[in-house]
Amino acid sequence: MSATPQNVGRFGGPATSAIGALAGRPGATIPVDLRIAREVPYAFARDQHVLVARRDDADVGGSGPRTVYIGPATSPLAIAELQRALGPVRIVEVSRDALDKAIAKGYSTDDGASARVVDEVDASLDLSRLMQDVPEIEDLLEAEDNAPVIRLINALFTEAAREGASDIHLEPFETHSVVRFRVDGTLRDIVRPRRQLHSALISRIKIMANLDIAEKRLPQDGRIALRVAGRPLDVRVSTLPVGNSPSQPERAVLRLLDKEAGRLDLTALGMGRDALATFDALIKQPQGIVLVTGPTGSGKTTTLYAALARIDAATTNILTVEDPIEYELPAIGQTQVNARIGMTFAAALRAILRQDPDVIMIGEIRDLETAQIAVQASLTGHLVLATLHTNDAVSAATRLADMGVEPFLLSSSLLGVVAQRLVRKLCEVCKVEKQGEWHPVGCPTCGHTGYQGRTGIYELMRIDDKLRDMIHDESGEPALREAARLQGMTNLREDGNRWIHAGVTSREEVFRVTRD
């Protein structure tokens, strides 16, 4: 193979004097030509740390050598293989971080839309077509070649990431199966595979999650770690037997957690200025309990992560107890609950209190023992941040009392409660204004839903002296709510009005996620 007469770099092959020009520069931007990049399979680019980014002449059909960006871990064999397959190349060495970001960009976008690539899955794969290509097998263990099923599952993960889905549902019915994605809090049908494929799909997911593939009578839980176009993705897997047939079909729900999506600021999550100022004051207290409440999927944990990001971890010992650890936070000690070995929330909290913490985050207060330890921790000089399942801020106090927490202890420890919901944002492409308010229409950009993305609405109750006395005296929810309102608390629906007036969401959407 011929090579252009250039300098010889550290790989012993042709390279230009540009080697090292971008190396180590944190903010270096690598220009990416999407058509050129995908001449090399994503798996090769990812594993070998190479990116074919452009030709020296702008014309993709030109004859100039391709520019190949490499990192510190790139091997000489990888360069040799590229030269064999592509001909002359121009090598530019960059930092590992810059290269990883460029690879993710080159394989995750295509003219502004995400490419459907996970590992070896080709970007052109179509889910509906793949469903037809999978052989008719009842179980993955019976298949001589499970490659079609693997491609299908990979394509599902990629499509879910492209759509921004939080969950994937695989549900069996009598004559067919349904794959649904939860996008912006609502479920939508994606494909309907043949009923005969369902067991094979479930079996493949079990293998990926290290579950017992032969056990179909009991629920199972597991996790899958993936990289989708260079981005880490953690998948929580839950399987559940359904029906009473001899074949014992199972349904599976997969919760997708983007490991790089959790580092958000509270302003980016939608918290208003006044509520943010009050919340900031609460999380800067040296001790006490701050609760975040709401139903499953309302963004409670993300709010706690954003709160921790506002605390100086360099001078504060921050420890968390979570189930699961959704995002890895820098400079913060995170503990994973594992009930199978006795590592419950309560057991982890008792151990954490011996680690000299300043701030403790509890993923969820589920039982009296956990609640009691949290209260005692807050009374002995620790700031405790936790989530709790209640419908609004006021009912958090009565919920803990109903669990068995003594009212005099609760009144002494509770600093404030945030209730929250997520509302869908109107699609900027197709929304229309009628009578002074914006309304959804639906277009291809938003999947014909009229909405794209979500933001938060909040209800914040700060515990003042009057509310503290009322909690101590075991006042009911109506009285507590009236006192909180006199204090200045706005409810969830009222907070949603600011997004309605700003044209961010619709009145119907705010009404959908709130109650009177």
Side-chain angles (χ1 to χ4, degrees), residues 4 6 15-18 31 33 36 52-69 88-92:
T4 55
Q6 299 171 339
T16 72
S17 59
D33 187 318
I36 296 294
V52 183
R54 64 186 183 196
R55 289 182 184 272
D56 278 355
D57 51 348
D59 183 7
V60 71
S63 58
R66 296 165 176 82
T67 295
V68 176
Y69 289 91
V89 296
R90 175 178 177 269
I91 299 173
V92 178

Side-chain angles (χ1 to χ4, degrees), residues 65 102 187 204 210 261 315 366:
L187 285 169
R204 175 60 191 170
N210 293 317
T315 59
R366 297 177 177 175

Side-chain angles (χ1 to χ4, degrees), residues 44-55:
F44 183 87
R46 177 202 60 195
D47 296 340
Q48 302 301 325
H49 310 288
V50 298
L51 177 66
V52 183
R54 64 186 183 196
R55 289 182 184 272

Side-chain angles (χ1 to χ4, degrees), residues 383-427:
L383 177 65
V384 178
L385 309 180
T387 73
L388 186 69
H389 281 281
T390 62
N391 289 326
D392 56 23
V394 173
S395 57
T398 54
R399 170 72 176 132
L400 289 174
D402 289 342
M403 279 186 178
V405 178
E406 294 291 345
F408 73 92
L409 293 176
L410 185 59
S411 65
S412 301
S413 58
L414 192 60
L415 297 175
V417 184
V418 177
Q420 68 178 73
R421 299 290 189 276
L422 295 177
V423 294
R424 294 178 296 171
K425 298 163 66 176
L426 288 164
C427 175

Side-chain angles (χ1 to χ4, degrees), residues 288-306:
I289 297 179
V290 178
L291 296 174
V292 179
T293 74
T296 300
S298 60
K300 300 185 298 296
T301 302
T302 303
T303 296
L304 287 185
Y305 282 145

Side-chain angles (χ1 to χ4, degrees), residues 44-117:
F44 183 87
R46 177 202 60 195
D47 296 340
Q48 302 301 325
H49 310 288
V50 298
L51 177 66
V52 183
R54 64 186 183 196
R55 289 182 184 272
D56 278 355
D57 51 348
D59 183 7
V60 71
S63 58
R66 296 165 176 82
T67 295
V68 176
Y69 289 91
I70 64 173
T74 307
S75 70
L77 292 177
I79 298 299
E81 179 62 20
L82 284 175
Q83 291 174 328
R84 184 194 65 78
L86 304 177
V89 296
R90 175 178 177 269
I91 299 173
V92 178
E93 183 173 350
V94 298
S95 68
R96 173 65 182 272
D97 183 63
L99 183 62
D100 287 345
K101 289 180 179 178
I103 290 174
K105 178 181 179 182
Y107 289 88
S108 66
T109 59
D110 186 3
D111 298 331
S114 297
R116 303 177 182 184
V117 182

